[in-house]
Amino acid sequence: METITSKTYDFKRVLVWELPVRIFHWLNALCITVLAITGFIIADPPALMSTAEAVDSYWFGTVRTIHFITAYVFLLNAIVRVYWAFNGNYYSNWRAFLPLNKQKWDNIKHVLKVDVLLQNEETEVLKNISVGHNYVASLSYIVLFLLALVQIFTGFGLYAPTSGWWLPKLFEWVPVVLGDEMTTRFIHHIATWLFIIFTLIHVYLVFYHDWLEGRGESSAMISGYKFVRKERLKDGEHI
């Protein structure tokens, strides 16, 4: 009679995402949600019938105000995250987002094989299980940051003509460089949809890896901790 044995592993609770990173993540998620909803209303406002006097019905102005205030929060949040990329731990540092050696490129191949092609590894390679972000995710976050810059520049460029404050006025040149306000608005709109698509893929992959690896992927952005096999950390590896 064949006896089936299972191997047990020792896990260590590791602080991966520091508090500022977690605050940035959830504040960013909130900002993107609010900006998308209010942005779509601004782009195509519904025709609401009301018996109220015009001076007492300012709902569209309120939507615009919420959009603009959230845009300022989004900008400030991005600035703080850039600061933390130079002052945070290894996992939040800007170096952790760049595949600067062969091991990290091997990680990209592994992620593409498992996440995209949905294939299994013939033998387990422990170093391919990332402690922080895997390097496909890291590269996608760089693209997302560039996309955020597009949103900031085009958004404040559109806001500049109606703003009396100096900060939006710094972006007055954006519609001029892009050709006109309509082109600027179109780019801003397309970038919004790219954010939405990224969010859907991001949420799917978080739950996918939580199911596949069982290391607290989804809860890590709340607690900051992941569960990592001790032998994975024995050489001080961070990937």
Side-chain angles (χ1 to χ4, degrees):
M1 181 176 180
E2 183 180 355
T3 302
I4 299 176
T5 59
S6 60
K7 186 176 180 180
T8 58
Y9 299 101
D10 289 329
F11 285 83
K12 181 179 180 181
R13 193 166 179 256
V14 178
L15 177 62
V16 176
W17 310 125
E18 298 170 296
L19 181 60
V21 174
R22 303 195 313 268
I23 292 175
F24 162 81
H25 176 273
W26 292 113
L27 189 57
N28 210 42
L30 178 62
C31 285
I32 291 172
T33 302
V34 173
L35 286 169
I37 293 172
T38 55
F40 283 128
I41 295 174
I42 292 170
D44 188 18
L48 300 180
M49 303 299 291
S50 174
T51 58
E53 292 292 335
V55 293
D56 298 322
S57 180
Y58 193 64
W59 74 268
F60 188 72
T62 301
V63 170
R64 283 170 53 89
T65 300
I66 293 172
H67 190 80
F68 298 148
I69 291 175
T70 308
Y72 285 120
V73 176
F74 183 73
L75 173 60
L76 179 60
N77 198 38
I79 292 173
V80 173
R81 182 62 184 90
V82 171
Y83 166 81
W84 203 252
F86 292 90
N87 294 274
N89 66 6
Y90 173 85
Y91 304 107
S92 60
N93 192 276
W94 65 270
R95 294 181 182 85
F97 289 82
L98 301 176
L100 299 175
N101 57 44
K102 183 180 182 301
Q103 179 184 349
K104 295 174 181 179
W105 280 106
D106 288 340
N107 178 256
I108 290 177
K109 294 176 185 177
H110 165 79
V111 173
L112 291 176
K113 182 178 181 179
V114 174
D115 289 12
V116 179
L117 301 178
L118 300 178
Q119 297 180 5
N120 294 322
E121 296 280 21
E122 294 179 3
T123 57
E124 182 184 54
V125 180
L126 196 57
K127 66 181 181 181
N128 281 333
I129 302 177
S130 302
V131 177
H133 293 306
N134 65 63
Y135 281 89
V136 172
S138 295
L139 292 176
S140 71
Y141 293 140
I142 293 175
V143 174
L144 189 68
F145 176 73
L146 295 176
L147 194 62
L149 291 180
V150 170
Q151 288 293 70
I152 290 169
F153 277 75
T154 56
F156 280 106
L158 293 169
Y159 180 36
T162 59
S163 174
W165 195 34
W166 62 269
L167 197 155
K169 295 294 184 183
L170 295 176
F171 300 88
E172 282 182 316
W173 56 271
V174 176
V176 177
V177 170
L178 294 177
D180 53 45
E181 185 176 298
M182 195 63 200
T183 302
T184 307
R185 194 176 301 278
F186 176 75
I187 293 173
H188 195 70
H189 182 77
I190 292 300
T192 299
W193 277 108
L194 293 177
F195 265 106
I196 293 172
I197 293 170
F198 171 87
T199 300
L200 294 174
I201 296 173
H202 173 69
V203 171
Y204 161 72
L205 287 176
V206 166
F207 284 105
Y208 172 72
H209 279 279
D210 215 353
W211 166 79
L212 185 68
E213 299 169 0
R215 300 184 303 121
E217 192 79 24
S218 55
S219 63
M221 200 47 75
I222 297 175
S223 67
Y225 289 90
K226 285 186 178 182
F227 296 93
V228 184
R229 278 163 56 175
K230 288 185 177 180
E231 61 266 38
R232 181 67 182 77
L233 300 170
K234 65 183 179 181
D235 298 321
E237 295 177 297
H238 295 286
I239 187 175

